[in-house]
Amino acid sequence: MTAPARVAITGAAGNIGYALAFRIAAGDMLGPDQPVILHLLEIPPALGALSGVTMELNDCAFPLLHGIVGTADTGEGFDGVDYALLVGAKPRGKGMERGDLIADNGKIFGPQGKAINDNASPDIRVLVVGNPANTNCLIAASSAPKLDRRQFTAMTRLDHNRAISQLAEKTSAHSTEIARMTIWGNHSATQYPDISNCTIEGAAAADRVDDGWYRETFIPKVQKRGAEIIGARGASSAASAASAAIDHVRTWVHGTPDGDWTSMGVAADGGYGIEEGIVFSRPVTCADGDYTVVPDLDISDFSRERMNATEAELREERAAVEDLL
Ligand code: NAX
């Protein structure tokens, strides 16, 4: 039998965590032949709720689920872990400045990065979902000197999937017919959803929509979709965020289809003129459990302007947590 993979989820009793754990245990993330042991991390006040999640997971009698570790101890939580989905984060309170939110979350993601460094498998792959995801990812990676920065990624797959869905609806295409969508930059309202390389059934997507719709409807719609969901549901995206997290890790492990790519927040390496030292979403292909940034795409003036805006925001976020890096 294949040895079980250890998968950690932080914030496992929260909304996204609750939507994630069951699908991972069902095999949606690592495949139908890969048993898993779930490491569910929470803060002490949420351990009661977490024990309820554990009971429900056991009650599903999932064939692939070979054990559950429920804990508030990060050393135990990340011990021997192969995949970590860092979801738990401090939410923005009323009247809280963005800078304070970033600094408060730094206090969570720094120690978690260190605990991953000290306890996890040396081959661990980390996905940061908790907001501000890009900068939390930067902090976690900076706190794990034994590991490669490439082992830490931030989630923009939900934005990527939202962009595909909007374009599919507009063009009456199916999402599977759309390839090469790109999200550049931050998982925030400055992100730049870019269709300039996108294809629909192999033909240029830009030829199927007018520029006005693209600039004035599509881009803001994708940027602000999270707020639209909160307005409608009275709660933030949970099942779609969990689904995107599963997509992100599955693609990282099992690869992108031929001719397509995905979007991931990854350590900037100076490519595309993006300053090193921030985590910036870019188009990547995945193969053999690794990612490669898609090289040599033409960047129009329009795209450059938007990439600069989201880069500037990420630089500001980095400046707010400089002491944690
Ligand atoms: P919830 O408030 O429902 O759940 C968060 C859970 O994390 C809580 O159970 C809390 O006890 C736990 N937690 C807090 N600090 C922790 C710590 N230090 N260690 C372990 N657990 C901890 O939030 P939820 O709706 O699940 O959202 C989680 C995070 O995802 C938020 O930061 C949210 O902003 C972010 N999102 C990121 C998205 C992305 O695309 N990158 C999209 C969806 C979502 O908005």
Side-chain angles (χ1 to χ4, degrees), residues 227-303:
E228 189 182 354
I229 304 265
I230 292 173
R233 224 171 73 84
S236 61
S237 319
S240 57
S243 195
I246 285 168
D247 288 348
H248 177 116
V249 176
R250 194 186 50 235
T251 303
W252 195 359
V253 174
H254 294 296
T256 36
D258 278 350
D260 199 2
W261 63 57
T262 188
S263 304
M264 281 188 184
V266 297
D269 55 5
Y272 288 109
I274 305 301
E275 186 175 294
E276 279 184 58
I278 54 176
V279 170
F280 197 88
S281 180
R282 287 179 292 168
V284 300
T285 52
C286 298
D288 305 321
D290 203 1
Y291 70 80
T292 306
V293 175
V294 177
D296 304 326
L297 295 174
D298 283 337
I299 306 294
S300 67
D301 291 346
F302 178 81
S303 293

Side-chain angles (χ1 to χ4, degrees), residues 78 86 108-118 139-145 147 152:
F78 292 118
L86 307 186
I108 295 175
F109 287 83
Q112 285 183 354
K114 184 172 183 324
I116 288 170
N117 183 72
D118 296 347
I139 294 168
S142 305
S143 309
L147 301 175
F152 289 80

Side-chain angles (χ1 to χ4, degrees), residues 10-17 41-43 46 87-91 108 112 128-131 133 155-156 158-159 162 187 236-238 241:
T10 69
N15 285 310
I16 297 174
L41 279 94
E42 261 297 347
I43 48 176
V87 180
K90 183 162 180 178
I108 295 175
Q112 285 183 354
V128 177
V129 175
N131 278 320
M155 185 165 98
T156 52
L158 180 55
D159 310 297
R162 285 167 171 168
H187 169 67
S236 61
S237 319

